[in-house]
Amino acid sequence: MIELLSYNPPGWGGKLLLGLLHSLEIALGATCLGLMIGTAGAFGKLYGGPVVRDLLAVYTTVVRAVPELVLILLLYYAGTDLINQLLAALGFQRLDISGLAAGIAVLGFVQGAYSTEVIRGAILAIPQGQIEAARAYGMSPGLMLRRITLPAMLPFAIPGLANLWLIATKDTALLAVVGFEELALATRQAAGVTKAYFTFFFAAGLLYLLVSLVSNLIIGRVEARSRRGMPSIKESR
């Protein structure tokens, strides 16, 4: 087992760690993209016009209803083909879209729908007195967003966004079906060559668990910092 998991060949440890790095790159990029989409989507749903709200409702409903594997296959193949067809029609050369960029775009699009609802719920949880006080002081919408809305909604949004981050780290395994070499595909290749299925899938499970444990530790510190000055659960009872 030690020889199979060693970092240097003939061990496969280095390949597994490289796959883990690719998984984290995709998860981080998709989460950031999803946060940008989700923030814009939440404000669009709350403060946009009827057309914007209807379009966003269709987006969040479809993405949350269709299985993620189906969406990944659809967006990965059909999306990249559509972009290249559009470029060809406009007289430009076809793009060779990298697997990393495509993976981030696909998972970010999916994450954006869930982030929209998480952030929308967090904004609705802000006590309205704070918003009214900011308006009474004559704050501009941008200043109110930066000084009131975003800091006040953060404690309510962090638990949901933390779950989305952990989901994103695992959803990267779905990209193995389109041939992107992340941790799941690297594990399957190593197990297929060596026939040591239990060893490699158990090692991959430990790596995913380690990512979750470290993430929970960091998220806990961020959440505690965002809740400074707020009553604790024990005090509110």
Side-chain angles (χ1 to χ4, degrees):
M1 180 182 296
I2 296 177
E3 183 179 355
L4 288 174
L5 294 175
S6 63
Y7 184 82
N8 297 317
W12 290 79
K15 192 173 184 65
L16 293 185
L17 292 178
L18 182 60
L20 176 62
L21 177 61
H22 289 164
S23 294
L24 292 177
E25 287 176 345
I26 292 177
L28 183 60
T31 300
C32 293
L33 178 59
L35 278 176
M36 291 188 288
I37 296 174
T39 302
F43 279 92
K45 273 196 164 186
L46 291 173
Y47 308 114
V51 175
V52 173
R53 290 199 299 268
D54 289 343
L55 290 175
L56 288 171
V58 171
Y59 163 58
T60 55
T61 301
V62 169
V63 170
R64 290 185 297 164
V66 178
E68 293 179 0
L69 181 59
V70 176
L71 282 173
I72 287 173
L73 291 171
L74 178 64
L75 294 173
Y76 189 90
Y77 289 114
T80 53
D81 185 60
L82 182 62
I83 291 174
N84 280 321
Q85 286 186 11
L86 181 61
L87 290 174
L90 295 174
F92 297 100
Q93 292 184 347
R94 295 174 62 91
L95 285 178
D96 185 15
I97 301 175
S98 69
L100 179 63
I104 290 174
V106 168
L107 286 185
F109 182 84
V110 174
Q111 285 273 311
Y114 294 96
S115 297
T116 295
E117 295 303 319
V118 170
I119 295 173
R120 185 178 69 88
I123 293 175
L124 291 175
I126 299 174
Q128 287 302 305
Q130 298 183 20
I131 304 297
E132 294 172 0
R135 290 172 178 166
Y137 274 105
M139 284 189 179
S140 64
L143 182 61
M144 185 169 63
L145 172 66
R146 189 174 69 253
R147 298 292 298 273
I148 304 296
T149 305
L150 291 179
M153 80 169 191
L154 196 58
F156 303 105
I158 285 178
L161 295 177
N163 284 333
L164 291 181
W165 158 253
L166 293 176
I167 290 171
T169 60
K170 296 167 182 60
D171 280 352
T172 57
L174 298 176
L175 295 175
V177 299
V178 295
F180 183 75
E181 192 171 344
E182 40 65 63
L183 179 56
L185 182 58
T187 303
R188 191 172 65 186
Q189 290 174 343
V193 171
T194 62
K195 306 303 178 184
Y197 292 97
F198 176 80
T199 298
F200 285 107
F201 281 104
F202 182 75
L206 289 180
L207 289 176
Y208 281 119
L209 178 61
L210 179 62
V211 170
S212 296
L213 293 176
V214 174
S215 298
N216 285 333
L217 180 62
I218 297 174
I219 291 166
R221 292 181 178 273
V222 173
E223 185 175 8
R225 184 175 180 83
S226 70
R227 294 186 63 87
R228 288 181 305 171
M230 298 178 66
S232 64
I233 296 177
K234 293 181 180 180
E235 292 174 352
S236 62
R237 290 179 177 175

